[in-house]
């Protein structure tokens, strides 16, 4: 449900470090709560994102949520599959359902994100 | 009527009431219901309202009328008006006297449509939803646009919402609005945009058309949209393609207001010459004049802007057995989900009038829509050329027009109208109230409803007014 | 009517009007021109002439009549059955109102007819203003707004103009967490920052939270009273004092005005501006989503900002006045949804003071009766006297049987009723919001209560039948996800 090698934000984004870059998506918890995702609005490559500021929007039929940047930096890649198949956010949130790849301004910002054990407590899926 | 003392007595099940035909509960039923609730009186049910704010007297309203009395009174009020069945109407200016086929309101007025709510339970409301989908489809056909919403309040507010939409789409802070756009539309655009910091710059007209040189000078990287009306408020045909090109070259959008959609039977549609948003008034499509409302706001745009369109959208889908059905869709744009981040606050729209418009367009059909449009064009052209020949009357603008044109009159247009009304004719709109430089100008409208004989009579009367 | 495709035994799609189209068929009759047959190119430039005619359907008049009559059979209306949609006041829409609105003197009256030729219409608007001012306790009323949300926009624009005139810069609008979505959306359209204040355990606005949120930067509070839980805001006088002492304005969302007609007047509760949904309280039909009519009443200090024109009475003569320099301008063309003003006027005149008070009393009686009949089988998050509506929760059914409120709402359709409003207000889990209105008989209320109780039993004994409902509607449960993922918003030839 919540991979151990990721870091998590309080707004339910996950971050995977890949070399000097990070890949970003939303957690299983967020995807389940939204129910069937029907639309994802993402910035274009080259856009700047700021720690815990909205960078996009994810929508289901009856709900809409802002996506918050877990790190500050520059978007270098956007998941093209989400345009036609937003459902992969539900079916494979940590794999095919990734959203953007960011070149972080400062990787040390990762320290402000939660490790998995802390995140599962935050969402009430484990005892503190 | 039950006499009432001070202190806000509420009728109880025991007290005698006048039984009203819209309120079925009888005294006996009231008592039974109160027993189930466990309350001694209806008064008790209002115990949570502080006495300081209770009304301690009956409302001061005129006595209730029975149905025959009510109808007599309303008929007297209606009869005090000069309507288009009683006077020959040459008045347009954003509200048009067209023939409404009998089928339109026999069908749209059916209680099943009239007394239904917004289709929140789609399975139960396929009629309304499908009619909305058909309306959206037909509106796309006549405007040449990719997508249309299920309706807005009216043409003016649709134009204002289009301006806001252009701001959101471009991220820019100014709209250029032609002064040849309906003056009331321009007022509404200003009202809607002012609190959002969207600047409205008016572009002058020249020879009855939006001054394209002035547009070119006013365009800047801040321009979100150019807003024109076509045919414009003076009835003149704008060069929409040139406006669109100017807008697009500057990275702005072209918003085309259409106050007379029947023009689209004969005119190249805005979608064909580059308009990005069409905002219009659907009253001419099967709706009566209604002293200005309810009318039908139309909004159509390019397919790629669909997620920025305000208001309700009907979409086709399938049911659990694979059968086609219709639902309200892309609702995350709307206020009930996005709240303060919604694309507009609009909720209730003009669904019934969209239904009427769909029935009207289907009745006219491909050939009829063109024929009615052509009739408007020809009759107005005949009237225009006849009035041009009257000494001391002249045309204000020598450019092509659709079913309206501006005449400069030797007497004040208000005086012309006074004399015409005495002869059973509702004259055109005097333009001086909106355009001081056009205080002797008169906007005449000739729809398919007008016969040659009526036009000839108008001309004969005008000849006597010199 | 469900047409079947015999070859496959699968129900066929219900046709769209385009499916009936046959080239050359016509459905209308217009004369040939009685004016000269000038070639079109001489009337308009060839470049402006439409090249392809609009691809409207080519159908006969009977095709049109049958198609839209059949569509009407695939709809649910008040005329057909009970419509307990909370917050929507789905009361009977009298037929005489339709006859009145369609009188030629109203329906065929041009908005720019000279005032001397529109005295009857202007009188009606003016008298309706006087009637609603008395009913609401406000000083002036405008009818320009086309709907409730449009009325909210008008009201907040006037509040904004009021503060501008006074040289005060206020940036925030407070809304309770139980508010209609239109409230925050409207505040944002007028450039205000939205501050949400929570409700307390009794379902009232939390006075302490309001006191903390209220300061000189708040322009207005938008309140619904009775609120969307169907509860009268008991601390209304405290709210009034807190807001006014800080110089703010009180806006009333009048969606629930039906509950208090003739019992209490918003003007006397201290509201400075309110909108009235004529399509709720005053019986104008909803038309499948509109047209509505949103009348906005204001106290005298806001009257200079009313949209233009206002209608003024000089004895028995009526005129339009647009010379009002402080006006917010116009919020739509012309004067509003006049046809609905005729209906609302007819309603008030046929009810009178006693009749309107009976409306409120009976609406509240009916709601409390239904509540009493249903409370044992559903959770009741706020256990108080309700006004014209009440909010239950389907949380118990969801937790115990996996049956969501959405499922129960769909199941109600099978019993021949429209569903209540669901999942609103947002502060109630699995919310079921029921508003019976005063025009329903005890018999209808009992039938509905029996159906709700039966569904509660089904949720327990046969949850599948509820979860797969509806079973008797023209289509089965529709795939909203597909509609949103692959938007199909217009018909295209195949």
């Amino acid at each position: 449900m919540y991979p151990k090698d990721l870091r998590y934000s309080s707004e339910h984004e996950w971050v995977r470090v890949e070399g000097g870059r990070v890949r970003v998506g939303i957690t299983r918890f967020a995807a389940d709560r939204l129910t069937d995702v029907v639309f994802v609005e993402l910035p274009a490559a080259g856009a700047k994102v700021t720690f815990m500021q909205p960078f996009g929007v994810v929508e289901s039929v009856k709900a809409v949520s802002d996506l918050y940047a877990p790190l500050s930096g520059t978007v270098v890649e956007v998941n093209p599959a989400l345009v036609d198949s937003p459902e992969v956010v539900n079916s494979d949130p940590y794999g095919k359902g990734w959203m953007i790849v960011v070149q972080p301004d400062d990787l040390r910002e990762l320290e402000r994100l939660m490790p998995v054990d802390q995140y599962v407590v935050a969402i009430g899926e484990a005892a503190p | 009527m039950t006499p009432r003392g001070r202190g806000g007595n509420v009728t109880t099940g025991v007290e005698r009431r006048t039984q009203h035909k819209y309120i079925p509960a009888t005294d006996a039923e009231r008592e039974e219901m109160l027993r189930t609730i466990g309350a001694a009186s209806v008064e008790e049910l209002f115990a949570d309202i502080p006495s300081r704010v209770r009304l301690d007297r009956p409302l001061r309203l005129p006595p209730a009328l029975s149905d025959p009395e009510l109808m007599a009174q309303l008929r007297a009020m209606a009869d005090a008006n000069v309507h288009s069945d009683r006077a020959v109407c040459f008045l347009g200016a954003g509200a048009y006297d067209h023939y409404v086929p009998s089928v339109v309101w026999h069908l749209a007025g059916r209680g099943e449509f009239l007394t239904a709510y917004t289709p929140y339970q789609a399975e139960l409301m396929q009629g309304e939803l499908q009619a909305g989908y058909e309306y959206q489809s037909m509106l796309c056909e006549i405007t040449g646009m990719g997508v249309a919403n299920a309706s807005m309040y009216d043409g003016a507010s649709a134009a204002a919402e289009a301006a806001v939409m252009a701001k959101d789409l471009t991220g820019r802070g100014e709209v250029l609005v032609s002064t040849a756009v309906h003056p009331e539309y321009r007022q509404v655009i200003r009202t809607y945009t002012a609190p959002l910091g969207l600047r409205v710059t008016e572009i002058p007209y020249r020879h009855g058309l939006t001054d394209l040189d002035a547009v070119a000078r006013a365009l800047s990287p801040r321009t979100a949209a150019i807003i024109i009306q076509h045919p414009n408020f003076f009835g003149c045909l704008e060069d929409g393609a040139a406006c669109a090109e100017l807008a697009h070259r500057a990275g702005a959008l072209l918003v085309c207001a259409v106050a007379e959609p029947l023009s689209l039977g004969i005119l190249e549609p805005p979608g064909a010459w580059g308009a990005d948003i069409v905002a219009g008034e659907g009253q001419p499509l099967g709706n009566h004049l209604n002293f200005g409302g309810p009318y039908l706001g139309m909004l159509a745009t390019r397919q790629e802007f669909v997620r920025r369109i305000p208001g309700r959208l009907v979409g086709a889908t399938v049911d659990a057995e694979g059968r086609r059905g219709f639902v309200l869709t892309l609702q995350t744009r709307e206020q009930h989900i996005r709240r303060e981040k919604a694309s507009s606050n609009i909720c209730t729209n003009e669904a019934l009038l969209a239904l009427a418009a769909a029935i009207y367009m289907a009745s006219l059909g491909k050939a009829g829509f063109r024929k009615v449009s052509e009739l408007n064009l020809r009759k107005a052209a005949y009237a225009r050329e006849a009035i041009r020949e009257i000494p001391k009357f002249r045309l204000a603008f020598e450019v092509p027009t659709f079913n309206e044109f501006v005449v400069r009159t030797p007497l004040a247009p208000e005086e012309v109208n006074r004399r015409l009304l005495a002869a059973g004719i509702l004259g055109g709109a005097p333009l001086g109230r909106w355009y001081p430089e056009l205080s002797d100008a008169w906007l005449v409208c000739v729809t398919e409803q007008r016969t040659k004989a009526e036009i000839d009579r108008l001309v004969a009367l005008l000849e006597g007014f010199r | 009517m469900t047409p079947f495709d015999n070859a496959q035994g699968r129900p066929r799609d219900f046709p769209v009007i385009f499916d009936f189209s046959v080239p050359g068929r016509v459905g209308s009759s217009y004369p040939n021109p009685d004016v000269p047959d000038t070639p079109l190119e001489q009337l308009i430039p060839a470049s402006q002439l439409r090249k392809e005619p609009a691809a409207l359907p080519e159908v006969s008049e009977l095709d049109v009549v049958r198609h839209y009559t059949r569509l009407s059979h695939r709809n649910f209306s008040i005329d057909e059955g009970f419509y307990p949609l909370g917050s929507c006041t789905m009361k009977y829409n009298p037929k005489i109102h339709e006859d009145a609105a369609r009188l030629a003197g109203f329906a065929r009256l041009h908005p720019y007819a000279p005032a001397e030729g529109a005295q009857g219409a202007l009188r009606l608007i003016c008298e309706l203003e006087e009637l609603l001012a008395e009913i609401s306790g406000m000083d002036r009323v405008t009818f320009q707004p086309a709907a409730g949300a449009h009325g909210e926009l008008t009201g907040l624009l006037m509040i904004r103009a009021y503060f501008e005139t006074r040289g005060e810069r206020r940036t925030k609008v407070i809304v309770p967490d139980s508010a209609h979505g239109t409230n925050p959306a409207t505040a944002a359209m007028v450039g205000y920052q939205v501050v949400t204040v929570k409700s307390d355990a009794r379902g009232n606005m939390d006075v302490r939270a309001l006191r903390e949120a209220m300061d000189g930067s708040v322009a207005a509070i938008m309140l619904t009273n009775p609120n969307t839980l169907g509860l009268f805001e008991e601390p209304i006088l405290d709210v009034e004092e807190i807001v006014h002492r800080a110089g703010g304005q009180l806006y009333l969302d009048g969606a629930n005005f039906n509950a208090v007609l003739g019992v209490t007047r918003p003007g006397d509760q201290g509201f400075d501006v309110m909108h009235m949904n004529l399509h709720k309280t005053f019986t104008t039909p909803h038309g499948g989503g509109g047209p509505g009519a949103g009348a906005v009443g204001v106290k005298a200090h806001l009257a200079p900002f009313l949209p233009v024109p206002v209608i003024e009475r000089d004895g028995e003569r009526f005129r339009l006045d647009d010379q009002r320099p402080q006006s917010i301008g116009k919020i739509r063309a012309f004067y509003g949804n006049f046809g609905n003003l005729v209906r609302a006027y007819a309603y008030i005149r046929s009810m009178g003071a006693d009749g309107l008070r009976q409306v409120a009393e009976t609406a509240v009686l009916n709601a409390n009766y239904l509540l009493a009949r249903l409370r044992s089988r559903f959770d009741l998050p706020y256990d108080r006297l309700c006004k014209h509506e009440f909010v239950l929760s389907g949380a118990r059914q969801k937790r115990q049987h996996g049956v969501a409120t959405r499922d129960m709402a769909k199941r109600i359709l099978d019993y021949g009723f429209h569903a209540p409003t669901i999942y609103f207000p947002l502060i109630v889990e699995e919310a079921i919001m029921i508003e019976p209105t005063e025009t329903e008989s005890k018999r209808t209320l009992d039938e509905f209560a029996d159906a709700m109780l039966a569904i509660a039993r089904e949720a327990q004994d046969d949850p599948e039948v509820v979860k797969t409902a509806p079973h008797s509607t023209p289509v089965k449960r529709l795939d909203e996800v597909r509609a949103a993922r692959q938007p199909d918003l217009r018909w295209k030839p195949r």
Side-chain angles (χ1 to χ4, degrees):
Chain A
M1 292 289 274
Y2 304 101
K4 292 198 170 34
D5 58 329
L6 306 182
R7 310 243 345 153
Y8 297 86
S9 81
S10 55
E11 296 289 341
H12 314 291
E13 285 80 20
W14 56 259
V15 169
R16 179 182 294 127
V17 181
E18 298 177 354
R21 296 174 167 183
V22 298
R23 194 173 294 268
V24 177
I26 63 170
T27 66
R28 164 70 62 197
F29 176 80
D32 285 354
R33 252 203 334 192
L34 274 163
T35 69
D36 297 305
V37 171
V38 298
F39 180 68
V40 185
E41 187 175 272
L42 296 174
K48 292 276 184 201
V49 295
T50 308
F51 178 73
M52 281 301 116
Q53 292 298 309
F55 71 86
V57 169
V58 58
E59 297 183 6
S60 65
V61 170
K62 293 283 159 70
V64 53
S65 290
D66 284 324
L67 297 164
Y68 290 86
L71 291 166
S72 301
T74 307
V75 177
V76 291
E77 211 180 321
V78 178
N79 187 348
L82 299 186
V83 177
D84 289 322
S85 309
E87 61 271 19
V88 297
V89 175
N90 297 107
S91 60
D92 190 6
Y94 306 108
K96 288 181 189 151
W98 67 274
M99 291 181 174
I100 53 175
V101 175
V102 176
Q103 178 69 57
D105 294 340
D106 184 355
L107 260 177
R108 281 176 301 182
E109 250 177 359
L110 277 175
E111 298 306 316
R112 301 167 76 170
L113 301 174
M114 291 176 263
V116 65
D117 45 350
Q118 204 177 329
Y119 179 69
V120 292
V121 169
I123 60 176
E125 296 200 2
Chain B
M1 288 228 258
T2 314
R4 231 182 257 291
R6 289 179 63 83
N9 285 341
V10 175
T11 319
T12 67
V14 187
E15 195 179 338
R16 281 192 64 77
R17 297 169 313 104
T18 311
Q19 187 78 27
H20 199 285
K21 72 166 181 167
Y22 301 146
I23 306 176
T26 63
D27 289 346
E29 286 173 326
R30 281 168 205 269
E31 286 187 43
E32 207 186 324
M33 290 160 79
L34 283 169
R35 271 200 302 278
T36 305
I37 296 166
S41 67
V42 171
E43 164 72 28
E44 252 183 67
L45 305 180
F46 289 88
D48 51 353
I49 303 183
S51 58
R52 265 179 61 198
V53 302
R54 296 282 197 96
L55 187 64
D56 61 0
R57 57 168 176 82
L59 288 168
R60 295 190 183 99
L61 301 179
L65 299 175
S66 68
D67 282 0
E69 293 167 315
L70 175 66
M71 210 55 202
Q73 171 144 2
L74 287 163
R75 195 167 282 123
M77 281 172 150
D79 287 346
N81 301 321
V82 179
H83 54 85
S84 64
D85 281 0
R86 238 173 82 188
V88 178
C89 181
F90 288 97
L91 188 52
Y96 298 95
D97 174 34
H98 291 297
Y99 182 74
V100 179
S102 301
V103 292
V104 174
W105 285 99
H106 274 280
L107 294 168
R110 291 177 64 92
E112 296 92 331
F113 289 129
L114 188 69
T115 71
Y117 200 71
T118 305
Y120 289 139
Q121 294 296 338
E123 293 84 357
L124 209 52
M125 297 292 285
Q126 286 299 293
E128 169 61 36
L129 286 161
Q130 180 171 332
Y133 179 83
E134 293 179 359
Y135 161 79
Q136 289 172 189
S137 305
M138 290 189 231
L139 188 57
C140 288
E141 293 296 342
I142 67 170
T143 58
M145 302 305 290
V147 59
N149 79 2
S151 68
M152 308 295 285
Y153 302 133
D154 77 334
S157 59
E161 294 266 18
V164 175
M165 192 178 149
K167 168 185 181 279
D168 291 344
L169 279 164
T170 60
R172 298 176 175 195
E174 182 184 31
V175 288
L176 309 180
V177 183
S178 166
T179 47
V181 169
H182 195 303
E184 296 206 16
Y185 289 27
R186 283 185 277 134
Q187 272 182 295
V188 178
I189 291 169
R190 276 197 296 272
T191 308
Y192 267 68
T193 54
L196 301 173
L198 181 58
R199 194 178 135 151
V200 174
T201 302
E202 296 208 330
I203 302 294
Y205 66 88
R206 197 170 60 187
H207 309 309
L209 297 174
T210 304
D211 183 344
L212 293 185
D213 294 334
V215 171
R217 281 194 301 275
L219 272 167
S220 78
R222 288 180 320 168
T223 312
I226 304 172
I227 304 181
I228 61 166
Q229 181 180 326
H230 176 67
N232 69 24
F233 182 64
F234 306 125
C236 303
L237 306 187
E238 293 281 1
D239 188 346
C243 291
E245 202 190 323
L246 280 172
H248 295 160
R249 217 184 295 152
L253 304 179
L254 184 78
V255 175
C256 178
V258 177
E260 175 48 294
L262 276 180
S263 65
L264 299 174
I266 197 111
L267 296 179
E268 194 66 342
W273 47 254
D276 300 288
I277 306 173
V278 173
E281 175 52 66
Q283 176 271 329
L285 302 175
N287 191 9
H288 294 292
L289 288 164
N290 291 333
F291 200 45
Y295 281 4
L296 167 63
M298 308 186 302
L299 197 64
T301 188
R302 294 179 183 282
Q303 177 64 41
E304 61 262 39
F305 299 158
V306 64
R307 284 181 186 275
R308 300 286 178 190
I309 202 169
R312 295 173 182 149
L313 284 168
V314 180
T317 184
V318 294
D319 76 354
E321 295 176 349
R323 196 168 18 184
R324 178 175 57 203
F326 301 88
V327 293
L328 293 177
T329 193
L330 305 184
Q331 293 190 71
T332 47
R333 300 162 296 110
E334 295 184 61
Q335 48 77 26
H336 61 284
I337 292 175
R338 231 186 193 107
R339 296 174 82 87
E340 65 266 29
K341 289 177 181 166
S343 53
S344 165
N345 74 339
I346 190 167
C347 180
T348 287
N349 57 14
E350 308 290 316
L352 189 73
L353 302 169
L355 165 70
I359 297 168
Y360 177 83
M361 287 188 275
S363 296
L364 261 57
K366 193 176 186 176
F369 190 63
R370 182 175 172 102
K371 182 168 185 177
V372 175
S373 189
E374 204 179 306
L375 279 170
N376 278 264
L377 175 73
R378 288 188 185 285
K379 295 201 182 210
Y382 173 75
R384 187 185 63 203
E385 296 312 306
I387 292 173
R388 182 209 294 279
E389 297 301 315
I390 307 172
K392 297 193 182 164
F393 283 77
R394 61 192 176 85
L395 295 185
F397 311 120
E398 291 288 351
V399 292
T401 53
F402 178 61
N403 67 359
E404 288 179 278
F405 52 91
V406 180
V407 176
R408 293 207 185 249
T409 55
L411 313 171
E414 292 82 0
E415 178 59 23
V416 172
N417 281 347
R418 256 190 295 281
R419 296 188 189 185
L420 287 175
L421 196 58
I425 288 178
L426 203 50
L431 295 183
R433 63 182 275 209
W434 298 298
Y435 302 90
E437 73 282 12
L438 294 176
S439 61
D440 62 342
W442 193 50
L443 179 64
V444 179
C445 174
V446 185
T447 71
E448 82 285 357
Q449 296 266 61
R450 303 286 70 83
T451 62
K452 177 169 178 296
E454 288 169 343
I455 298 168
D456 291 344
R457 192 158 79 84
L458 170 71
V459 171
L461 284 165
L462 294 179
E463 278 176 339
F465 292 169
R466 289 176 269 151
Chain C
M1 199 204 67
T2 312
F4 282 87
D5 181 341
N6 292 331
Q8 294 166 13
R10 190 180 72 79
R12 257 187 295 162
D13 290 342
F14 189 88
V16 292
I17 186 73
F18 297 94
D19 292 333
F20 298 101
S21 190
V22 173
R25 195 167 280 167
V26 299
S28 61
S29 147
Y30 285 90
N32 290 321
D34 53 0
V35 297
D37 219 359
T38 316
L40 289 175
E41 292 74 14
Q42 289 178 24
L43 300 179
I44 47 178
S47 64
Q48 297 257 27
L49 270 179
R50 184 154 192 149
K51 286 165 197 71
E52 284 291 322
L56 296 176
E58 297 178 85
V59 292
S60 72
E61 183 167 322
L62 181 56
D63 286 335
V64 170
V65 170
R66 280 214 180 122
H67 178 68
Y68 290 100
T69 300
R70 286 175 180 175
L71 281 186
S72 79
H73 297 161
R74 293 163 71 81
N75 235 26
F76 191 85
S77 61
I78 300 175
D79 281 6
E80 184 181 342
F82 184 46
Y83 229 115
L85 265 176
S87 226
C88 302
T89 313
M90 294 298 281
K91 57 166 79 177
Y92 171 61
N93 307 137
K95 297 300 172 194
I96 191 173
H97 298 177
E98 298 309 305
D99 289 347
R102 281 167 199 167
L103 289 170
F106 295 140
R108 311 222 171 140
L109 179 59
H110 195 287
Y112 289 146
E116 63 266 29
Q119 284 297 301
L122 295 175
R123 170 189 289 275
L124 186 143
I125 299 175
C126 188
E127 288 188 5
L128 182 58
E129 178 178 352
E130 292 161 1
L131 296 171
L132 286 177
E134 165 64 9
I135 294 168
S136 64
M138 309 307 277
D139 294 313
R140 291 300 305 257
V141 181
T142 177
F143 296 106
Q144 214 172 95
H150 211 204
E152 292 175 27
L153 178 63
T154 308
L156 285 196
L157 284 168
M158 285 192 275
I159 288 171
R160 184 174 172 270
Y162 167 77
F163 284 120
E164 261 172 22
T165 308
R166 295 164 58 93
E168 289 184 52
R169 202 183 119 68
R170 291 179 181 243
T171 54
K172 295 181 205 156
V173 164
I174 294 179
V175 297
D177 56 5
S178 58
H180 295 117
T182 50
N183 295 176
T186 304
M189 271 178 95
V190 184
Y192 286 117
Q193 185 195 332
V194 176
V195 179
T196 305
V197 168
K198 64 182 168 45
S199 305
D200 68 16
R202 281 183 64 76
N204 292 317
M205 166 162 270
D206 187 324
V207 172
R208 194 178 305 162
L210 173 65
R211 206 170 267 130
E212 277 165 22
M214 193 67 212
D215 60 29
S217 69
V218 175
I221 174 169
M222 297 180 86
L223 214 58
T224 308
N225 194 20
N227 63 28
T228 62
L229 295 162
L231 305 174
F232 195 86
E233 289 284 354
E234 292 162 317
I236 181 65
L237 291 167
D238 294 335
V239 171
E240 190 269 335
E241 201 205 324
I242 293 166
V243 174
H244 279 159
R245 207 175 36 209
Q249 296 283 292
L250 249 73
Y251 183 98
L252 177 70
D253 178 332
N256 295 343
F257 197 22
N258 207 50
V260 295
L261 290 172
V263 176
T264 173
R265 306 192 308 169
D268 299 337
Q269 294 167 27
F271 286 98
D272 301 290
V273 52
M274 76 175 289
H275 78 257
M276 291 167 258
N277 305 72
L278 301 188
H279 49 291
K280 296 183 179 175
T281 313
F282 298 97
T283 71
T284 80
H286 286 77
V296 173
V298 294
K299 290 283 180 61
H301 65 281
L302 292 173
F305 310 102
L306 285 167
V308 282
V310 298
I311 289 148
E312 298 290 1
R313 176 198 272 274
D314 301 320
E316 291 302 300
R317 303 298 297 168
F318 303 89
R319 64 186 169 83
L320 295 161
D321 177 15
D322 58 7
Q323 298 305 306
R324 298 175 67 88
Q326 291 186 296
S327 165
I328 58 164
K330 289 188 72 67
I331 49 125
R332 56 158 290 166
F334 313 118
Y335 327 113
N337 281 347
F338 175 75
N340 281 347
L341 307 187
V342 175
R343 294 170 173 96
Y345 176 86
Y347 180 62
I348 294 169
R349 292 305 313 274
S350 67
M351 298 309 286
D354 179 64
L356 289 182
R357 182 149 181 149
Q358 279 194 39
V359 166
E361 291 173 9
T362 316
V364 170
L365 176 68
N366 284 357
N368 279 286
Y369 176 69
L370 263 188
L371 172 58
R373 287 222 43 204
L374 297 177
R375 56 184 303 149
S376 63
R377 296 300 296 254
F378 296 91
D379 288 348
L380 177 62
Y382 300 94
D383 190 359
R384 278 171 56 183
L385 279 176
C386 69
K387 293 276 88 55
H388 63 303
E389 68 189 2
F390 57 95
V391 180
L392 301 173
S393 167
R396 183 190 314 179
Q397 283 75 16
K398 184 164 190 196
R399 196 174 55 247
Q400 294 179 356
H401 316 298
V403 172
T405 282
R406 178 171 296 107
D407 302 321
M408 293 192 281
K410 297 295 182 200
R411 184 62 178 149
I412 292 167
L413 312 184
D414 288 332
Y415 284 82
F417 303 105
H418 197 279
T421 296
I422 52 172
Y423 298 104
F424 184 81
L426 307 177
I427 56 173
V428 174
E429 184 190 358
E430 298 290 314
I432 306 171
M433 184 193 212
I434 298 173
E435 178 180 11
T437 85
E438 75 284 0
T439 63
E440 299 299 334
S441 66
K442 178 170 177 297
R443 179 195 169 102
T444 302
L445 302 180
D446 282 331
E447 286 169 353
F448 175 74
D450 293 344
M452 287 288 290
L453 296 173
I455 291 167
R457 275 193 302 276
E458 286 176 341
Q460 188 178 320
D461 303 338
D462 188 5
E464 266 322 291
V465 75
V466 184
K467 285 199 245 179
T468 53
H471 305 284
S472 61
T473 46
V475 292
K476 295 287 170 64
R477 206 176 287 202
L478 290 156
D479 188 347
E480 295 187 82
V481 172
R482 174 180 156 137
R485 279 187 185 153
Q486 304 155 34
D488 170 1
L489 307 173
R490 60 179 291 198
W491 180 87
K492 284 192 188 106
R494 282 169 211 175

